[in-house]
Amino acid sequence: MTWATFNSPAAMNDALLSGSVDIVSGGVPGMLTIWARTRGTPNAVKGVAAFSSQPILLNARNPRVTSIADFTESDRIAVPAVKISVQAMMLQMAAARQWGQANFARLDPLTVGMSPPDATIALLSDSADITSVFSVPPFQYQQLEKPGIHTVLSSQDIFGGPHTFTVAWTSTRFHDKDPALYTALVAAFKEATDMLDKDVKEAAQLWIDDVKSKMTAEKVAQIASGKQVRWTMVPEGTMKYADFMHAVGSIKVAPTSWKDLFFPELHGLPGS
């Protein structure tokens, strides 16, 4: 069994369909894109489980920017990938709410594709054109430690509450090939989720070792156990993602329920 994460949702979905990897993980929009593309085919792709529910923050260093309406052509907003990342889509959802659905892409020309670590360096150093970053934990909290950096928007403001941050998904081919293996995979997800619920310190150190972060385990653990962070396999707000993407034409078909998006092993949970 192979599992991978990619910076590009398109690359990871292509790898999944080609059989190069068995499972991929990322933001809900990436899963929705491949779900819609493969729906009704013998090798339809669906979600395995959610990983967590937590906000992502749009931070800025320009004091005059207190809402997205304050951005001008001189601003540049770093997102992991232009137009296709979850952060880019969140910005589109915010723009649709601010100026109407027809203007959902109004801020797209201001976005710049940049990895969260590089975007954080650019924002904190004042040495690049980047004036704002729509990032991910723990980098978004690291940014806020510098005086003058402030939060313009939280994704929970857009969703009106908690929402799934990342998910894992796979193909019907992998799901059906070895039911015992798939059952063991879901059980392993539950074990990891329970471990994080109980004590995030060990996981914090594993993350530091993996990405070679200079943050302390204590700091990462503090962020990972924050009051707005919940480690859960339950999909939350996935239909809000889907409804928006369908409304603006990012996906051609909309699910009727969150259960359409996930394999049956998860259907007993109180998803949305």
Side-chain angles (χ1 to χ4, degrees), residues 129-227:
D129 293 333
I130 302 302
T131 58
S132 299
V133 176
F134 217 158
S135 192
V136 295
F139 302 104
Q140 60 191 19
Y141 301 109
Q142 187 179 17
Q143 296 159 13
L144 291 171
E145 291 178 354
K146 180 176 180 178
I149 304 295
H150 61 283
T151 296
V152 175
L153 182 71
S154 166
S155 59
Q156 289 192 353
D157 298 333
I158 301 170
F159 273 73
H163 61 84
T164 290
F165 175 47
T166 49
V167 290
W169 59 96
T170 190
S171 63
T172 296
R173 176 178 56 222
F174 177 79
H175 175 270
D176 295 349
K177 180 174 62 176
D178 190 339
L181 176 62
Y182 190 84
T183 299
L185 172 68
V186 174
F189 280 2
K190 185 178 186 307
E191 182 180 355
T193 301
D194 291 343
M195 179 191 76
L196 286 163
D197 273 337
K198 195 173 299 182
D199 187 358
V200 299
K201 292 179 182 176
E202 181 180 353
Q205 188 59 57
L206 290 172
W207 179 85
I208 288 170
D209 293 342
D210 181 51
V211 304
K212 297 181 173 48
S213 172
K214 295 182 179 179
M215 297 178 70
T216 66
E218 290 74 17
K219 183 63 177 179
V220 174
Q222 178 187 357
I223 293 170
S225 57
K227 64 180 181 179

Side-chain angles (χ1 to χ4, degrees), residues 87-116:
Q87 291 84 353
M89 196 204 72
M90 288 284 187
L91 201 58
Q92 291 179 342
M93 293 176 76
R97 187 177 64 172
Q98 178 74 33
W99 296 293
Q101 189 167 289
N103 295 300
F104 76 95
R106 178 167 171 167
L107 297 176
D108 284 4
L110 305 184
T111 59
V112 177
M114 190 175 290
S115 71

Side-chain angles (χ1 to χ4, degrees), residues 47-50 186 233-235 258-259 262-271:
V48 179
V186 174
M233 293 171 62
V234 178
W258 72 270
K259 292 181 180 180
F262 290 85
F263 285 109
E265 286 79 0
L266 221 64
H267 290 182
L269 299 180

